[in-house]
Amino acid sequence: MPSCLLALETSCDETAASVVTPEGEVLSSEVASQIEIHREFGGVVPEVASRNHILHMRLLAEQALAKANVTLKDVDAFAATSGPGLVSSLLIGSTLAKSLALAEGKPFLAINHLEGHLLSPFMSRGKIEPHIALIVSGGHTMLLQVRGVGDYELLGRTRDDAAGEAFDKVGKMLGLPYPGGPEIDQRARSGNRKAFDFPRSMMEQGSYEFSFSGLKTSVLYLLPKVDVTHEPTLNDICASFQEAVIEVLVEKAIRAAKQYSQPLIAVSGGVSCNGRLRERFAERCKEARLELLLAEPRFTTDNAAMIGFAAAQRWRAGFTSPLETDVNPNLSLVG
Ligand code: KG4
Ligand code: ZN
């Protein structure tokens, strides 16, 4: 009989279910995006998100089991994201996973969403090695030293906006559809990265903190002076803004790898899907003779396979969570 874990993810606006083996091999990964629904509001509306999770969660879990060719009886443990995220969204996946664990008499694992992102680059490898990790998502920008599963040291985080949030807010200023990240990525491909000289903040030596609000303000101040309805100008702004964000991310990750003598950098989270970010990290790591590990693009934005992979690591280490474990919108990854 196959042995597997069922993982559910509902921390924000993606409903997702995945079946993984205890070794962390992904047998299925189903994601129902709500982007189209939230686009008309220009961002995620929490109540709309949770109501849609209710509509899709059970069906998606059934699809994940069917695609993995297993039944509920084959599942050895049920995992769900317990935070950070929107509390009303977190409750849907977490409550279903706990209910299934209770009904089937199997263990439950509460997983930190950020740990899901953090470990996702290792899904192709299975084993987690010590490294410098950069998480760049819509809600978080963090640089960490990872010594092993659960052994994380925070080196720095953003003081204001997360990298993805900066992409989304600048996208909104430029009149692009939500979310701005993928739109800016696309437009930047035909823009000039040097057209506008945007600030690179917090670049002093030894600082691993990030700040993107000054950059966002610079874009805002530029707007009355240019014509954003002129496509080439719009594309130039996208390319120049994106380059400013990426340069800071790459530079700090490389400095950290050198300072902490870590030969490996792993980058995760929705922004790590960005084409230019992947290209720049590859170039700079090669120059610096550092190894680079990126999550597969489909596992960069929110998904349940990364939650299942993190759960598998913890499951193998003998870790389970009580059914009383609450969801926590501010759940921390460190300390
Ligand atoms: O990891 P994620 O799906 O959700 C959070 O946990 O926050 O990340 C979503 C973020 C959004 O801000 C989105 O604009 C950004 O990732 N993103 C991108 C790209 N694809 C998604 N940012 C830049 N370039 C992309 N290609
Ligand atoms: Zn995420």
Side-chain angles (χ1 to χ4, degrees), residues 179-198:
E183 298 283 333
I184 291 177
D185 184 352
Q186 273 312 314
R187 289 192 168 271
R189 287 165 205 252
S190 21
N192 174 3
R193 300 191 281 264
K194 297 192 173 131
F196 300 98
D197 187 18
F198 290 127

Side-chain angles (χ1 to χ4, degrees), residues 163-186:
E165 196 178 353
F167 268 95
D168 296 342
K169 286 180 176 169
V170 167
K172 207 170 194 173
M173 282 180 207
L174 297 173
L176 301 176
Y178 169 84
E183 298 283 333
I184 291 177
D185 184 352
Q186 273 312 314

